[in-house]
Amino acid sequence: MNLTSDEEKLLSGEGGEGLQKAMEIIVSIGDINDAPRLIPVERVQISGVSYKTIGDAGLEFLQDLVGLGAKTSVYSTLNPAGIDLEQKNSDVPARFVEKQGEILRAYESLGATPSCTCTPYLAGNKPGFGEHIAFAESSAVAYANSALGARTNRESAITALASAITGKTPLYGLHLDENRGPTLKVNVNEQVKSAFDYSALGYYIGKHFDETPIFKGIQPGVEGLKALSAGLATGKVSLFHIEGVTPNTVGDVSSLETFEYTGAERKTVTEDLNTCDDPDILCIGCPHCTLAEIKQVIDANPKKEVWVYTSRAVQKQLGEKIKNPNIRLISDTCMVVQPLEEMGIGSLGTNSTKCAYYTRNLSGLDVKFDNMENLLKK
Ligand code: F3S
């Protein structure tokens, strides 16, 4: 890879050991991917924030970087942590709370903004069309690339952090025009309206295709785009197009292979993800809820306990106090990166394929996957 003389100096340690380490990471990723050079990024979303996902090894890595004097050089926000920072978290093991605090202090010493959400684009870190960025949260990667027309590869926790420190990323993959066009047409012949429907559609396509789909027959708003992004990203898809909705140019798609999505495909997703009928709690907000989704839960006046996850930024926009004691509004964390299995929860109901997939596979919980109306009715 060709580096500028300034980049060479940083790589040789002239900017300090922390910056040198971050440059080494970025340059090695660029070499592996045959990137010709580095490009500047305007913003970063860092994953690897919960103690549940990074553990002691991740905490030590962050503390080492702090010790080496590393600092973020561009606006960088954080993915959900393992706890709600403004609640007592008395149901979370004390050691977990303590370690989580150390992780967040390390990130803040590095200069990251502790927004602790997977929807940075709803909480002040929203890229513009054509912006080169480095996002690590997979659902936000798909949303930023597709709904907003920004450009990012699916970064890991470490490469996103290295980009946050250097302000750079290697030029390869989805930063390049030639890798952004659609490679599969998906005709949606099933009614797809709710977040549950979009989540199932995304999950099915992401699980069965390693392609860049262009969808025909759907008109999602923000909630649908968010759910579709997370569903697709639970598989391998980090960029998609929707005729008449997403802003990227797509060119001639007439010769692409076409896939027909019908009720039969949707049914396989539901069958695949359901393992129980009467979950302990309901979890809404994967990815984190918009204001409209929170209001939908409040209006349904649920009789079962519902944990509603959102960003601190969106929670602050909610002018009303929630009167229904069954609704627990939670920020800074999510049901997947919270240690739910250590908090006495054995099963949950969700309208999100990503939540269903990961709470089953990472936390060993049973799952009821259904649309929000049905879940809240019970
Ligand atoms: Fe967000 Fe957690 Fe789902 S990070 S996308 S709520 S798994």
Side-chain angles (χ1 to χ4, degrees):
M1 196 162 51
N2 290 318
L3 299 181
T4 64
S5 59
D6 283 348
E7 288 165 351
E8 291 284 7
K9 282 181 193 160
L10 298 181
L11 190 60
S12 66
E14 281 191 29
E17 276 186 80
L19 195 45
Q20 181 182 28
K21 197 166 189 157
M23 277 300 282
E24 284 168 359
I25 294 166
I26 289 295
V27 169
S28 62
I29 293 297
D31 284 338
I32 290 167
N33 289 287
D34 290 328
R37 62 189 167 88
L38 300 176
I39 53 169
V41 290
E42 309 204 19
R43 57 186 76 240
V44 173
Q45 168 75 2
I46 299 168
S47 66
V49 181
S50 169
Y51 180 60
K52 177 173 171 176
T53 55
I54 69 168
D56 290 319
L59 172 58
E60 273 169 38
F61 176 78
L62 293 172
Q63 288 173 332
D64 282 351
L65 275 178
V66 173
L68 294 175
K71 287 278 178 205
T72 58
S73 63
V74 290
Y75 182 47
S76 304
T77 51
L78 296 183
N79 238 25
I83 55 172
D84 183 313
L85 302 176
E86 292 189 5
Q87 288 185 11
K88 287 200 190 89
N89 293 295
S90 49
D91 44 1
V92 183
R95 182 169 181 275
F96 187 102
V97 176
E98 189 188 312
K99 291 285 184 179
Q100 187 61 70
E102 287 181 43
I103 289 169
L104 288 168
R105 279 193 290 283
Y107 272 123
E108 287 189 68
S109 299
L110 291 169
T113 300
S115 54
C116 297
T117 178
C118 51
T119 54
Y121 47 86
L122 299 176
N125 193 3
K126 181 179 178 183
F129 183 83
E131 253 188 42
H132 292 277
I133 60 174
F135 274 21
E137 159 53 37
S138 63
S139 67
V141 167
Y143 191 99
N145 271 323
S146 316
L148 304 176
R151 296 182 171 218
T152 178
N153 288 314
R154 190 192 291 206
E155 300 294 344
S156 68
I158 289 177
T159 59
L161 182 55
S163 284
I165 294 166
T166 59
K168 309 214 175 215
T169 195
L171 178 63
Y172 75 99
L174 294 179
H175 291 283
L176 297 167
D177 285 345
E178 60 262 37
N179 298 323
R180 294 182 60 86
T183 56
L184 173 76
K185 266 194 286 187
V186 179
N187 288 338
V188 180
N189 304 302
E190 161 78 352
Q191 198 183 64
V192 173
K193 283 204 161 155
S194 66
F196 165 80
D197 299 329
Y198 280 109
S199 186
L201 169 63
Y203 180 84
Y204 187 89
I205 299 299
K207 185 175 172 190
H208 292 90
F209 297 96
D210 187 2
E211 301 286 351
T212 299
I214 177 162
F215 294 97
K216 198 175 168 189
I218 52 173
Q219 287 282 321
V222 171
E223 288 78 14
L225 286 163
K226 179 167 75 72
L228 181 63
S229 298
L232 287 163
T234 304
K236 304 180 192 99
V237 177
S238 296
L239 167 65
F240 61 91
H241 307 277
I242 305 174
E243 231 178 43
V245 175
T246 53
N248 294 293
T249 45
V250 293
D252 179 14
V253 297
S254 56
S255 60
L256 293 182
E257 181 196 340
T258 302
F259 177 76
E260 305 289 338
Y261 179 83
T262 68
E265 281 74 33
R266 212 264 288 280
K267 192 156 171 262
T268 65
V269 175
T270 313
E271 286 168 355
D272 200 20
L273 293 174
N274 262 297
T275 61
C276 76
D277 267 338
D278 187 21
D280 295 340
I281 56 168
L282 306 177
C283 289
I284 303 294
C286 174
H288 277 172
C289 283
T290 62
L291 201 52
E293 288 172 318
I294 299 172
K295 288 188 171 163
Q296 205 182 335
V297 177
I298 295 172
D299 290 347
N301 200 22
K303 297 188 183 47
K304 194 170 189 111
E305 191 167 339
V306 191
W307 295 14
V308 181
Y309 296 85
T310 190
S311 61
R312 182 72 52 199
V314 168
Q315 182 175 149
K316 283 188 179 143
Q317 293 164 22
L318 184 72
E320 59 188 295
K321 205 167 159 42
I322 297 176
K323 297 190 192 86
N324 184 334
N326 292 323
I327 302 174
R328 183 167 162 184
L329 194 55
I330 301 170
S331 289
D332 316 314
T333 184
C334 85
M335 67 299 273
V336 170
V337 298
Q338 264 184 320
L340 285 190
E341 65 280 22
E342 295 180 58
M343 295 161 66
I345 306 295
S347 58
L348 58 80
T350 179
N351 61 345
S352 159
T353 47
K354 182 172 179 185
C355 165
Y357 179 84
Y358 283 109
T359 48
R360 266 179 62 184
N361 291 302
L362 278 185
S363 311
L365 303 189
D366 277 317
V367 169
K368 170 81 185 158
F369 173 60
D370 205 342
N371 69 41
M372 205 198 287
E373 293 73 29
N374 287 345
L375 291 170
L376 295 174
K377 238 188 263 164
K378 294 194 176 162

